[in-house]
Structures are given as C-alpha cells and as structure tokens.
C-alpha cells in the first residue's frame, strides 16, 4: 500500500507489539484515451497489544483527475480528505488537501512522481495540533528491476495520526 494509506509508524520509541492493517480501493473511469478520473478510499488501524499507546484508526477518501499530455508526461489534480480518530480519546483530526500531480516516465523502467498542494487540518485537541495550513506533498522515484520487482525512494510531508505516541503530528518522512 502507498505510505499515506496505512497508519503512520515512523516515530521511534520503545519496542512494543502492535497490529497495523489497512484496506484500500479505487475505481478509475477512462473518459478518453488520455484522460481519467479515479475515486479512492481507505481505512486503516494501528493498535498496540502490550503498552499504553494511542490506538488509532484513519479513513481517507479522494478523487483524482489525470490527463496524459504525451507518452512520458501526465498531469493531474487531486483532492483528499483524511480523518484520524483514537479508540480511547475524544480526539479527532481532519485534513483537506487539494494538490497538483506531475508524473514523468524517464524510460521503461524509471519514473518519477511529484504531488504538492496546501493541506488544511483541524483537530479537536488544539494544544497539540492547532488548526492551520501547511504545504504538503510527496515525491518518489521508482526503478522497475523486473515486471514484479521495483526499488522506490520517496518523501512525504503532511499530517499523520501521530504514530501512537502523539495525537496527530506533522511529518517529513523519507522511505
């Protein structure tokens, strides 16, 4: 799954057993040979079995409009809504993110993706994560070794559920 779909676990802390799971789905309609519209959604959980961490869940829904301008260049616009909740806390976080997308195919094996836009977020716990807007996005480079094996390098900037250590956090992640 894409890194933004599964619950975030990027904060280093003591060892603990956990269950993390996510499911996602999408539906793409090809309007023309070069234009498509995609609706997507996901649901994920992050639960800890042996520590007093913040068990959380997240829901995401979004829509993307893409147009392939040439064999190598695709441009798109996207809107994503994400909600984070915590099982034992009355805290919720909601994000709204419109963004621009650019994908370039350098060769049959190498491609890059860039996505950037404002991310507005609000939380019921305003001392930890006050309502505001940031520039969010992601970038990735993918090299396909074979038809089923690839190597990825990616960067993500935005708001996460807090990795069970915080009730929400702003993240910059390289993976």
């Amino acid at each position: 799954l894409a890194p933004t779909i599964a619950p975030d676990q990027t904060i280093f802390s003591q060892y603990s057993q956990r269950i993390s799971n996510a499911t996602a789905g999408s539906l793409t309609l090809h309007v023309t040979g070069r234009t498509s519209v995609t609706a997507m959604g996901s649901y994920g959980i992050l639960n800890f079995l042996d520590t007093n961490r913040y068990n959380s869940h997240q829901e995401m829904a979004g829509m993307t409009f893409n147009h392939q301008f040439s064999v190598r260049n695709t441009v798109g616009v996207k809107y994503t809504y994400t909600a984070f909740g915590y099982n034992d806390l009355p805290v919720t976080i909601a994000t709204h993110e419109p963004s621009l997308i650019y994908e370039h195919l350098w060769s049959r094996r190498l491609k890059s993706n860039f996505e950037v836009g404002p991310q507005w977020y609000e939380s019921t716990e305003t001392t930890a994560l006050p309502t505001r807007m940031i520039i969010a996005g992601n970038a990735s480079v993918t090299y396909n070794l074979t038809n089923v094996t690839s190597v990825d390098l990616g960067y993500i900037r935005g708001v996460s559920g807090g990795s069970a250590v915080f009730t929400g956090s702003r993240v910059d992640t390289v993976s």
Side-chain angles (χ1 to χ4, degrees):
L1 291 174
T4 56
I5 293 175
D8 184 40
Q9 301 179 46
T10 57
I11 296 176
F12 294 112
S13 60
Q14 69 186 25
Y15 173 80
S16 59
Q17 294 180 345
R18 63 186 164 266
I19 297 171
S20 176
N21 203 355
T23 186
S26 66
L27 179 64
T28 299
L29 172 65
H30 293 277
V31 180
T32 68
R34 293 183 170 207
T35 303
S36 65
V37 177
T38 301
M40 62 209 138
S42 69
Y43 178 80
I45 61 165
L46 178 59
N47 291 334
F48 287 81
L49 303 176
D50 58 355
T51 61
N52 192 14
R53 303 278 181 182
Y54 299 131
N55 295 329
S56 63
H57 54 90
Q58 70 182 53
E59 299 86 27
M60 183 275 296
M63 185 158 270
T64 303
F65 175 82
N66 287 317
H67 183 74
Q68 184 179 22
F69 283 95
S70 69
V71 175
R72 296 182 181 263
N73 296 295
T74 301
V75 175
V77 293
K78 179 179 175 183
Y79 172 78
T80 307
Y81 170 81
T82 306
F84 302 95
Y86 303 89
N87 298 355
D88 299 323
L89 297 171
V91 176
T92 59
I93 300 167
T95 70
H96 303 271
E97 184 179 356
S99 56
L100 297 175
I101 301 168
Y102 175 68
E103 179 181 286
H104 184 75
L105 200 59
W106 299 94
S107 69
R108 290 185 326 182
R109 293 181 179 239
L110 182 65
K111 75 175 179 177
S112 58
N113 289 288
F114 304 94
E115 180 180 337
V116 67
Q119 185 179 49
W120 179 69
Y121 57 90
E122 59 186 341
S123 172
T124 55
E125 177 57 52
T126 56
T127 56
L129 195 65
T131 299
R132 65 182 289 195
M133 184 170 37
I134 62 171
I135 298 298
N138 62 70
S140 67
V141 176
T142 302
Y143 184 78
N144 293 316
L145 300 170
T146 67
N147 287 341
V148 295
T149 306
S150 64
V151 177
D152 298 305
L153 176 63
Y155 170 76
I156 298 172
R157 175 182 174 85
V159 172
S160 82
S163 301
V165 178
F166 302 106
T167 54
S169 62
R170 291 187 298 268
V171 296
D172 287 285
T173 305
V174 175
S175 62

